[in-house]
Amino acid sequence: MAESPRFAPTTGRGPAGWPQQRRNGRALPHGVDIVVPVRMMDAEFGSTTFVVVDVEMRRQPGGLVPAAVAALALSGADFQPLWRVHQEIREELHSSWKKPRPPRLPHELPEGSAGLALREIERHVTAQPHRIVAALGFIEASLLHTERAACPRLASLTRWDAVELARTACPGVEGGFEELAGCLGVRLPPGPRPATQEAWAVAQVFRHAVERGAATGRWSTFAQLEEIAGTAAKPVEEKYLPPSTVQGSLFD
């Protein structure tokens, strides 16, 4: 399947490293996005905001630690990008960052910490229904739960695995994310990719997988995709959550 000319591959980088979209070989101004309406999905899908999250890792003595986080929010109605966030993580974390520990409250977070980076994404999460989208998403889920006191709304969201959706949309494809992207007609920047480019790549794979599956009759509803690719978040303690009047619309 050739890549749609209406959402062409990136050849440049814009603010904060986000890939710049192109049409007919010409770069589009940032804030101008070329989209195709998703007419084959139901109203629940269309009313949901999908927050594509990627955590970039770096190697230091003792193992890998988070180096940056990027988020790209897409409207379920037409895959129009709604907002973007890119935050560097400069905190000197050790290799035990994934081990359970009491979550740090916002006032306890040092400048450049993972918690403050996720809190910047958190402030964009409104009362509209949201889902997190990631490629596999184990690292993202672990970091979100570790820093749940700083981003309780984000950490409470159900996570959709874009790789699982792509596998279902492309049965018989051998390999991982790169091969599935190729099957869907998404040309990726060569890896390893920084968080901004990886979030963009995951967003394209997610979008093309949803469209292909809908076009071939594999799914047509939000509930079907949730069953295939959704994983509920670990519970966040009530003391960290926003008021109950907000919780219902965010997490139901």
Side-chain angles (χ1 to χ4, degrees):
M1 174 181 176
E3 175 147 12
S4 167
R6 298 189 66 188
F7 215 119
T10 176
T11 59
R13 296 180 67 184
W18 286 102
Q20 190 163 24
Q21 296 187 56
R22 306 182 73 85
R23 179 172 56 183
N24 298 328
R26 300 178 62 184
L28 294 170
H30 284 280
V32 177
D33 293 286
I34 302 303
V35 296
V36 179
V38 184
R39 300 186 181 93
M40 292 177 283
M41 298 301 296
D42 65 352
E44 187 175 9
F45 186 94
S47 66
T48 301
T49 297
F50 296 96
V51 183
V52 182
V53 177
D54 182 75
V55 175
E56 182 182 342
M57 306 296 288
R58 62 180 168 85
R59 188 173 297 280
Q60 69 173 34
L64 294 170
V65 296
V69 62
L72 170 60
L74 304 174
S75 166
D78 55 9
F79 288 116
Q80 174 72 35
L82 302 174
W83 48 264
R84 301 174 171 92
V85 172
H86 174 263
Q87 292 286 303
E88 300 291 332
I89 299 172
R90 300 182 300 276
E91 186 179 15
E92 288 301 318
L93 297 170
H94 51 76
S95 59
S96 64
W97 66 271
K98 292 186 289 185
K99 295 180 180 179
R101 61 166 169 78
R104 298 175 296 180
L105 296 171
H107 69 272
E108 299 173 324
L109 296 168
E111 195 67 30
S113 65
L116 285 183
L118 293 170
R119 194 166 179 80
E120 180 63 22
I121 300 172
E122 166 96 348
R123 73 182 186 86
H124 292 275
V125 178
T126 63
Q128 183 171 350
H130 289 68
R131 288 294 183 267
I132 288 176
V133 177
L136 301 178
F138 303 124
I139 291 174
E140 288 77 12
S142 178
L143 187 61
L144 284 168
H145 189 71
T146 297
E147 303 293 349
R148 62 194 180 277
C151 55
R153 295 188 293 265
L154 200 62
S156 298
L157 296 175
T158 296
R159 183 182 81 254
W160 284 16
D161 180 4
V163 172
E164 188 60 36
L165 282 180
R167 287 194 193 285
T168 306
C170 302
V173 173
E174 299 289 338
F177 183 75
E178 309 284 331
E179 290 75 17
L180 290 165
C183 171
L184 292 167
V186 178
R187 290 184 297 206
L188 301 178
R193 292 174 286 272
T196 50
Q197 289 195 8
E198 189 67 15
W200 179 89
V202 173
Q204 302 317 302
V205 167
F206 170 66
R207 173 199 161 201
H208 282 267
V210 170
E211 290 180 339
R212 175 174 288 199
T216 55
R218 294 186 180 277
W219 47 63
S220 60
T221 69
F222 176 95
Q224 288 172 309
L225 296 180
E226 182 109 306
E227 183 176 357
I228 292 168
T231 300
K234 293 180 180 180
V236 173
E237 297 92 325
E238 188 174 353
K239 62 184 177 181
Y240 301 132
L241 291 170
S244 57
T245 53
V246 178
Q247 289 178 38
S249 58
L250 282 172
F251 310 135
D252 287 350

